Amino acid sequence: MASTHKLILGRWKIIYSFPSIAGLFFIAYVIGALYLRGDSQRVLENQMMPNDSILHCNLFSGKWVYDNISYPSYKGNQCSLMEEDFACEKYGRKDLNYQKWRWQPNDCDLPRFNATALLEKLRGKKLTFAGDSLNRNQFMSMVCLIESSFPPSSFKSLIFKENSIIFKATDYNATIEFYWSPLLVESNCDYMASHGVRDRIFRVHAIEKHARKWTDADILVFDSYMWWLLPKMKLLWGSFGNSDAIYKEVGMRHRRYEMALNTWSDWLEFHVNRTRTKLFFMSLSPYHRVKTGAWIKVETVMVKPSQF
């Protein structure tokens, strides 16, 4: 059994553990949370919630089961919104059985995804995924799930703007956005179109550059971890391009990560109204593909606001 390390950052609890619940379950968890925190409009189909059992169910206690009847929930090669980087099937991937696994809690059944009810819940609102490629994958999965449930004639758009990818469902005035910020704090990796930087530099106390893009969101889903795994990174005091700036090469991967999360959690504490905005931190999948073709094993991070 893996050890568990806990940090307390203000009123936010950060838990390191291994392994994690993977991405599609996280989407179901976020949507389920919208239901549990919401009014009588249900994001999830009613028939899958007998006797309100899900209200008292530990969604994290369960197992993966193979389901080749109701899964996959959408087909990637039929999603017009799919980015080329994630179009595995289009470019010849044959082993697609991984799409047929679903998460089964021990004490209840997860309701099936209902795109119409989700968009009703998001009517006039904005959901933002912020972080690295893991959240970019979750964003892409969510918009493909939504598109698969609507006729081609329904009006929707996908806009690439600076560090953002923005999906709009016009009929619902609903916005789902991905914002690229792999370290959450400011760094030299912040440009989505050209972020492959090996000599990484970060400003551990600087977050406003990114954070001002998050303030209008009704739901915020964050993630960050993989980009902190280099043995050494450079910590910058001062501004990029400033001749008086001080650079220091630092190891201690978890320590510098903790410092960044402190900056992030402090910003949330003082700038986010949690009666209006729902907050999540996405855990990292235990295996992640890198450009060398190798697989690397990493710790997992799950953050949950203690108030939620």
Side-chain angles (χ1 to χ4, degrees):
M1 181 177 293
S3 61
T4 299
H5 177 57
K6 296 184 179 180
L7 302 172
I8 303 296
L9 306 180
R11 293 163 63 186
W12 303 86
K13 182 182 294 183
I14 288 80
I15 303 176
Y16 296 77
S17 63
F18 179 85
S20 76
I21 306 302
L24 275 178
F25 169 59
F26 182 79
I27 289 180
Y29 177 70
V30 171
I31 297 168
L34 295 182
Y35 168 78
L36 296 176
R37 288 285 296 262
D39 51 30
S40 59
Q41 282 186 305
R42 300 198 168 187
V43 174
L44 303 165
E45 293 178 355
N46 298 339
Q47 67 268 26
M48 296 298 289
M49 295 186 188
N51 302 319
D52 293 326
S53 62
I54 197 171
L55 294 174
H56 308 287
C57 181
N58 181 0
L59 301 181
F60 296 93
S61 176
K63 62 184 179 181
W64 291 102
V65 297
Y66 188 76
D67 181 351
N68 62 354
I69 298 175
S70 57
Y71 278 70
S73 300
Y74 70 89
K75 294 184 178 180
N77 61 353
Q78 296 177 3
C79 178
S80 67
L81 305 173
M82 179 68 70
E83 289 188 75
E84 295 291 291
D85 290 351
F86 306 126
C88 300
E89 189 174 358
K90 176 180 177 180
Y91 288 101
R93 178 166 182 170
K94 302 299 183 183
D95 56 325
L96 300 176
N97 283 337
Y98 72 91
Q99 299 176 350
K100 299 176 183 178
W101 291 87
R102 63 176 172 84
W103 181 251
Q104 178 61 55
N106 291 327
D107 301 319
C108 62
D109 293 322
L110 282 176
R112 291 286 293 170
F113 179 79
N114 184 324
T116 302
L118 172 64
L119 289 178
E120 283 291 350
K121 195 68 177 177
L122 291 177
R123 184 181 290 276
K125 296 181 179 180
K126 181 179 180 180
L127 163 61
T128 295
F129 292 86
D132 59 25
S133 58
L134 184 65
N135 255 354
R136 191 171 181 174
N137 272 287
Q138 300 315 305
F139 163 82
M140 192 55 56
S141 291
M142 179 170 279
V143 298
C144 285
L145 279 166
I146 292 171
E147 186 193 50
S148 68
S149 302
F150 288 91
S153 58
S154 60
F155 190 79
K156 57 188 178 296
S157 64
L158 192 69
I159 302 166
F160 290 76
K161 182 180 179 182
E162 298 176 346
N163 268 18
S164 297
I165 310 173
I166 304 164
F167 170 83
K168 289 185 177 290
T170 306
D171 292 343
Y172 294 86
N173 189 27
T175 301
I176 303 174
E177 177 182 5
F178 168 74
Y179 180 84
W180 175 262
S181 51
L183 300 178
L184 297 181
V185 295
E186 188 176 344
S187 76
N188 64 341
C189 312
D190 288 342
Y191 302 100
M192 184 166 60
S194 57
H195 58 260
V197 179
R198 296 297 298 174
D199 186 17
R200 293 175 189 167
I201 305 170
F202 65 101
R203 300 178 63 205
V204 74
H205 298 303
I207 198 170
E208 288 298 328
K209 170 186 170 182
H210 299 313
R212 63 173 179 260
K213 305 288 187 178
W214 307 332
T215 53
D216 62 340
D218 299 279
I219 304 160
L220 281 165
V221 182
F222 295 97
D223 92 290
S224 179
Y225 189 71
M226 178 63 69
W227 284 71
W228 294 97
L229 293 182
L230 290 182
K232 293 184 178 181
M233 296 171 63
K234 288 181 180 178
L235 176 59
L236 169 62
W237 282 277
S239 303
F240 286 101
N242 188 334
S243 59
D244 295 327
I246 300 173
Y247 295 82
K248 182 179 179 180
E249 191 170 73
V250 292
M252 301 180 296
R253 289 180 292 188
H254 288 142
R255 174 56 182 152
R256 65 198 183 206
Y257 179 55
E258 177 187 354
M259 292 167 66
L261 286 187
N262 271 301
T263 297
W264 166 77
S265 62
D266 286 346
W267 180 84
L268 293 175
E269 189 72 30
F270 291 104
H271 294 89
V272 172
N273 179 357
R274 280 182 279 169
T275 61
R276 169 188 176 269
T277 304
K278 299 176 180 63
L279 302 167
F280 301 88
F281 194 100
M282 176 70 178
S283 66
L284 181 66
S285 297
Y287 294 92
H288 200 67
R289 189 77 171 178
V290 293
K291 288 186 177 180
T292 60
W295 290 91
I296 57 177
K297 183 184 291 187
V298 297
E299 270 188 314
T300 302
V301 181
M302 174 64 76
V303 174
K304 182 180 179 183
S306 56
Q307 184 181 11
F308 185 81

